[in-house]
């Protein structure tokens, strides 16, 4: 199965209004970087045990590890969770960047080192959200 189909199938399993919001967020991200590499991580380990929320990734980068090795991973990710939606901006060099530059203007959201967590898209300033998405793709 191709990744886009996996993503579409996953989104279809979500209940409303989360399904519509993830679809809208997916569209906004794809408008900022059409044709980017797509990722779908189902949140399961090799034995099939659920260890994390499923997430959708966009773009590609090399993520360095402390031991000197690196692996390919997405630049920006989204994940529906129990209380809302999380957006992950991977590969930022400064873990304070999101908080210092967007926490005051993004809207009703929790902003940490690499994550913006919110209950609903309607709680966010869409223009600032687009700036964050662009930054996520520019970070690498």
């Amino acid at each position: 199965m191709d990744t886009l189909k996996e993503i579409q199938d996953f989104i279809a399993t979500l209940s409303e209004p989360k399904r519509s919001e993830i679809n809208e967020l997916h569209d906004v991200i794809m408008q900022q970087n059409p044709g980017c590499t797509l990722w779908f991580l189902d949140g399961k380990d090799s034995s099939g045990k659920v260890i994390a929320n499923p997430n959708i990734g966009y773009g590609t980068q090399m993520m360095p590890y402390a031991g000197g090795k690196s692996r390919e991973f997405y630049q920006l990710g989204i994940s529906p969770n129990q209380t809302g939606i999380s957006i992950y901006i991977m590969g930022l060099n400064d873990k304070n960047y999101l908080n210092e530059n967007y926490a005051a203007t993004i809207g009703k959201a929790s902003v940490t080192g690499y994550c913006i967590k919110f209950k609903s898209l309607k709680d966010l300033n869409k223009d600032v959200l687009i700036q964050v998405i662009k930054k996520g793709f520019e970070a690498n």
Side-chain angles (χ1 to χ4, degrees):
M1 182 180 305
D2 71 51
T3 306
L4 180 57
K5 177 79 169 113
E6 284 182 294
I7 291 168
Q8 292 168 337
D9 289 351
F10 167 67
I11 293 172
T13 68
L14 301 173
S15 59
E16 289 295 347
K18 204 165 286 187
R19 179 184 320 130
S20 294
E21 293 202 341
I22 291 290
N23 264 322
E24 182 179 346
L25 188 53
H26 174 76
D27 290 345
V28 168
I29 293 168
M30 293 304 294
Q31 288 168 6
Q32 300 311 308
N33 194 351
C36 67
T37 301
L38 295 174
W39 300 68
F40 179 69
L41 305 173
D42 63 7
K44 297 176 183 173
D45 67 11
S46 59
S47 70
K49 180 181 175 189
V50 175
I51 58 170
N53 289 324
N55 57 84
I56 302 166
Y58 304 86
T60 188
Q61 66 174 322
M62 293 306 290
M63 290 288 292
Y65 289 105
K69 293 184 178 185
S70 62
R71 77 172 181 130
E72 190 174 32
F73 202 61
Y74 58 73
Q75 293 170 286
L76 190 140
I78 60 175
S79 179
N81 53 58
Q82 290 276 356
T83 60
I85 300 170
S86 296
I87 300 175
Y88 301 98
I89 309 298
M90 308 303 289
L92 293 173
N93 292 327
D94 180 359
K95 70 177 183 175
N96 297 311
Y97 180 83
L98 286 178
N99 196 29
E100 291 172 355
N101 291 280
Y102 300 107
T105 57
I106 190 94
K108 191 175 175 182
S110 168
V111 181
T112 61
Y114 306 102
C115 179
I116 298 172
K117 187 175 181 179
F118 54 94
K119 186 171 182 164
S120 173
L121 274 176
K122 69 179 186 267
D123 295 334
L124 300 183
N125 178 321
K126 190 170 182 178
D127 292 333
V128 175
L129 174 63
I130 290 171
Q131 289 175 14
V132 170
I133 292 166
K134 287 179 179 179
K135 180 62 179 176
F137 286 123
E138 294 169 359
N140 294 293

